[in-house]
Amino acid sequence: MPAVIQELGAILLQVLLPIILLAGAGFVLRRRVDVSPRAISRVVYYVLTPCLIYTSLLTFSFDPEITSRSLLFAAVQMIIVGGLAYFLTRRWGYSGGLASAFIITTILLNNGNYGLPLNLFAFGETGLAYALLLFMFNAVFAGAVSIYLAISGQDNGMAAIKRTLKQPIIWAIVLAGVSRATHLIPTGSLMEMLQMTGQAAIPVFLIVLGMSLAQTDVRANLAPVLRLTTLRMIISPLIALAVASVVGLSGVAYSVAVMQASMPTAVNSIVITNEFETAPDFTAGVVLMTTLVSLVTLPILLFFLR
C-alpha cells in the first residue's frame, strides 16, 4: 500500500502538478484581471496549434502500423461512446439543444490543451507524438460532428463540412503532407521559429483552460451534468481500455490512446454551443465538472498504464 501511495504521489507531482499550476495561473488571472480568454484562445487556435501540428508532423517519426491502429481506435471509440450518448438522450427524454449538447460534450475531448501536456509529461516525446495524432482526429472528425449537431434544424449538413474545411488545423495537416511529399521542408532559423511558436501552444493551452473554468457555473442543469460526467469520466475510459486492446495497440501507444479517450470535455464545446445557442449553460457545467473529476480519475489511470 505505501508503494501505491508513493507512485500516485509521484504521478501527481511529475505529471499533474505542472498542469494544475498553469491552469491555476489562468484561473487567477481571469478572476483578477479583465482579460478575454476568447482572444487568447484564438491565438492558440489560429497560430500556435497549427505550428505545433505542422512541425510535429515533419519532425516526429510515426510507425505506419501503430498510426493506423491509433486512428482506428479513435474512430471506433467515438462511434461507440457517441452512440451510447445518443441512446441515453432518448432514454432520459432529452431533446432539442440539450440532446445535441449531451452528445457534443461526450465526443469532443480536451485532448489538446489538457491531453497533450499530460501525455508529454507522462510518456515523453513519443507519447506527445501519438497524442497529437488522436488530438487531430478528434479536432477534425468530432469537431465536424459537433458543429453538425449544433446547427441541426438551423442549416444543412454542408455547413458543417464547409466550416470544418476552413479550420487552421486542417490546413496545417495538408501543408505538412505537401511539405513531406515535395521535400520542401523549412530549415534553419525558419524551422526553429515555427517550432518555438508551436512549443508555446502547450503552456498557453493550460492557461486558457484555467481562464475558461474561472467563468463557469456548474449548478445549471446539475442532474444531466452529473450523468454526462459519469459517462465521460468513468464509462468512456472503461470502453477505451477494451477498444485499445481489440485494435491491437500496446506499449506507449496503448497508454496514450486510453488517456486521450479519458480526457474531460473540451473547452471548445462551450464555443460551439454558445455560437449556436445549444444548451451553453449545460456545456459549461460539464466542462468544469469533468475537469474537476479528472484530477481523481486520470492519476488512477496513469498509475495502471505507466
Side-chain angles (χ1 to χ4, degrees):
M1 192 65 172
V4 173
I5 296 174
Q6 185 177 6
E7 179 66 18
L8 284 173
I11 290 171
L12 287 170
L13 287 174
Q14 297 172 14
V15 180
L16 288 182
L17 183 60
I19 293 172
I20 293 171
L21 288 175
L22 273 175
F27 186 95
V28 173
L29 179 66
R30 182 69 181 92
R31 287 297 180 91
R32 297 293 182 88
V33 181
D34 185 19
V35 59
S36 170
R38 186 177 185 187
I40 298 176
S41 67
R42 284 188 163 183
V43 174
V44 176
Y45 190 71
Y46 287 100
V47 180
L48 305 186
T49 302
C51 287
L52 176 64
I53 290 173
Y54 177 73
T55 56
S56 297
L57 288 176
L58 292 182
T59 56
F60 288 148
S61 297
F62 296 97
D63 181 282
E65 183 178 354
I66 296 178
T67 298
S68 61
R69 291 179 187 273
S70 295
L71 295 177
L72 176 61
F73 162 84
V76 173
Q77 176 76 8
M78 187 180 77
I79 291 170
I80 293 175
V81 176
L84 180 57
Y86 173 77
F87 169 78
L88 291 175
T89 60
R90 304 295 294 269
R91 176 70 176 81
W92 290 326
Y94 298 161
S95 60
L98 180 58
S100 295
F102 196 91
I103 301 172
I104 290 170
T105 52
T106 301
I107 64 173
L108 202 56
L109 310 178
N110 200 355
N111 52 16
N113 58 359
Y114 195 162
L116 293 183
L118 185 144
N119 282 288
L120 173 62
F121 296 147
F123 306 110
E125 292 291 333
T126 302
L128 176 62
Y130 290 119
L132 268 169
L133 281 176
L134 297 170
F135 163 63
M136 288 185 287
F137 180 94
N138 191 257
V140 173
F141 292 100
V145 172
S146 297
I147 293 171
Y148 174 80
L149 290 170
I151 67 175
S152 59
Q154 301 180 27
D155 210 333
N156 56 55
M158 285 302 297
I161 297 174
K162 291 179 180 178
R163 187 157 179 158
T164 301
L165 293 176
K166 294 178 180 178
Q167 301 309 304
I169 291 173
I170 297 291
W171 289 102
I173 296 171
V174 172
L175 187 57
V178 172
S179 294
R180 276 184 171 271
T182 60
H183 301 289
L184 295 175
I185 298 174
T187 58
S189 58
L190 176 58
M191 188 60 169
E192 290 177 3
M193 181 272 293
L194 291 172
Q195 287 179 315
M196 289 175 60
T197 305
Q199 289 165 0
I202 290 179
V204 181
F205 268 150
L206 295 173
I207 294 172
V208 171
L209 173 61
M211 293 175 67
S212 300
L213 295 179
Q215 55 189 23
T216 300
D217 185 357
V218 75
R219 292 172 294 182
N221 303 290
L222 186 58
V225 165
L226 292 176
R227 286 173 169 173
L228 190 283
T229 300
T230 302
L231 173 59
R232 174 72 262 136
M233 302 309 300
I234 298 176
I235 298 174
S236 182
L238 294 175
I239 294 172
L241 288 167
V243 173
S245 296
V246 170
V247 301
L249 289 173
S250 61
V252 172
Y254 175 92
S255 299
V256 169
V258 173
M259 291 305 301
Q260 287 290 69
S262 304
M263 288 294 127
T265 298
V267 176
N268 191 42
S269 62
I270 299 176
V271 177
I272 293 174
T273 55
N274 267 315
E275 181 74 19
F276 299 102
E277 299 181 352
T278 311
D281 291 338
F282 161 78
T283 304
V286 164
V287 170
L288 177 58
M289 183 64 75
T290 55
T291 302
L292 291 175
V293 171
S294 73
L295 298 178
V296 176
T297 59
L298 295 183
I300 295 173
L301 264 178
L302 275 174
F303 173 76
F304 290 105
L305 292 173
R306 290 183 81 188

